Amino acid sequence: MRISGRNAVALGVVLAAAALLAIPMTVAHVIYVYQSQVNFNATAAPVVWEAGPNAGAVSLTVTNKSSVIVSMAIPVTNATEIYVYQPLELMVNNGPKNLYVDACSYSTSYSWTPSSVELIVYSTTTGSPSSPTGTITITPSTSACSASGSVTLGTGSYYIDVEVLPSLPAPHVTPGTTVGTLTLYLSVT
């Protein structure tokens, strides 16, 4: 059979269309493989909490290192102020960050509560308690402990001192007796 003229053109169009339709089906069965390399650098945690050099003075414990819970036993005397130097240390690896007390609680077996507790935050290298980076004031109560203030921290290491202003007169207890325990839920954002 011989194809000529219009039939030849029509057949050519049909064959061209069939060839075009066949291409996507052929391409659909092709698998492309790409190779890549991804490098990850280990980074330090944004914030690291540690018991400071004088943590033992207030039986300080640090738990849950990401959103830290600090518990300390408050020593009581008839002094007008109790100052605990460097019980807590904080390393900020990626500042600025804001330090604040998310929640707090106070427990005691006596009918005594400190009038206030102040956290004094300062740089381990360039600061001092007399010129702190900032302070946070806590009003302990067995019914509703509260805190006010926050401290903005840049990259670096910080000490957190604790100043207790007792309600006088203090209870008459055997020296060395723990009168109350203050638990702080500290957060850094």
Side-chain angles (χ1 to χ4, degrees):
M1 164 174 16
R2 191 175 154 174
I3 302 173
S4 65
R6 283 189 188 164
N7 290 339
V9 173
L11 180 62
V13 171
V14 169
L15 289 175
L20 287 175
L21 291 174
I23 289 174
M25 296 184 86
T26 304
V27 173
H29 294 290
V30 175
I31 298 173
Y32 294 96
V33 178
Y34 294 96
Q35 182 178 358
S36 66
Q37 182 175 348
V38 178
N39 295 320
F40 293 97
N41 294 327
T43 58
V47 175
V48 178
W49 297 89
E50 298 290 339
N54 294 320
V58 288
S59 303
L60 184 128
T61 57
V62 179
T63 55
N64 192 8
K65 301 269 180 152
S66 60
S67 179
V68 73
I69 301 168
V70 176
S71 182
M72 66 184 88
I74 298 174
V76 175
T77 65
N78 276 324
T80 56
E81 172 186 11
I82 301 163
Y83 195 91
V84 183
Y85 187 66
Q86 300 176 350
L88 184 61
E89 188 171 352
L90 170 64
M91 170 73 128
V92 177
N93 291 313
N94 188 10
K97 302 285 185 196
N98 287 316
L99 169 68
Y100 61 96
V101 176
D102 194 35
C104 58
S105 66
Y106 177 74
S107 62
T108 182
S109 55
Y110 297 88
S111 60
W112 179 86
T113 303
S115 60
S116 73
V117 175
E118 190 165 74
L119 302 180
I120 301 163
V121 183
Y122 58 96
S123 169
T124 60
T125 56
T126 60
S128 71
S130 60
S131 60
T133 305
T135 61
I136 298 172
T137 302
I138 299 152
T139 307
S141 169
T142 54
S143 61
C145 184
S146 65
S148 62
S150 66
V151 180
T152 301
L153 305 171
T155 301
S157 292
Y158 297 86
Y159 285 124
I160 300 176
D161 291 1
V162 179
E163 179 183 30
V164 180
L165 300 175
S167 301
L168 296 175
H172 296 287
V173 296
T174 306
T177 301
T178 298
V179 175
T181 299
L182 179 64
T183 302
L184 304 174
Y185 299 85
L186 300 175
S187 292
V188 176
T189 57

